[in-house]
Amino acid sequence: MSEIRLRAFRYPDDYDGTLRLWKSIDKGIRVGASDAPVEIKKKLQRDPDLFLVAEVDGQLVGTVIGGFDGRRGLIYHLAVATAYRRSGLGSRLMNEVEGRLRDKGCLRCYLLVRPDNPEAVGFYEQQGWSTLDDLPFVKDLA
């Protein structure tokens, strides 16, 4: 297997491959309005160093997106291509984005896991994540 390289997402070059990867994930990631090009560009204006991709020989095989509002962090869209699962790539992506958040001064970080994805719950627990007692609220503003 060739070397896996982590780097920042580049728009527009990485967009199609990223969208293809997200759509290939059988559970856990749902592509929505916030994944449209205009929304991805807005995210990159905020903190482009927190949107990471993993590539092998120019092919995109993993992603993770972190966000930081100056106080709290949020991680979402961790995705690893099927052929690279259980290779440690998910852990590498998480460790990298968590380190970058820590370097920005982030003390607490959240992530959302869909209830139809118990494998992800187990993965995040192994990474040291824990659940909160209460459930989050959500509201679409558009």
Side-chain angles (χ1 to χ4, degrees), residues 46-103:
R46 173 82 184 173
D47 38 22
D49 57 320
L50 296 178
F51 189 160
L52 305 176
V53 298
E55 67 178 359
V56 175
D57 298 328
Q59 182 180 354
L60 203 133
V61 296
T63 66
V64 67
I65 300 175
F68 184 57
D69 66 7
R71 192 165 168 269
R72 298 284 190 240
L74 179 66
I75 295 177
Y76 52 102
H77 279 18
L78 173 65
V80 174
T82 304
Y84 292 88
R85 292 192 185 148
R86 303 211 181 277
S87 69
L89 179 54
S91 297
R92 280 185 63 196
L93 284 162
M94 287 299 292
N95 289 337
E96 183 65 27
V97 76
E98 287 175 28
R100 290 178 182 214
L101 283 161
R102 202 175 293 108
D103 290 346

Side-chain angles (χ1 to χ4, degrees), residues 28 31 33 35 39 54 64 71 73-74 90 107 117-119 127 139:
V31 175
D35 300 312
E39 299 302 317
V64 67
R71 192 165 168 269
L74 179 66
L107 300 177
N117 198 353
E119 296 89 354
Q127 298 292 310
K139 180 179 184 180

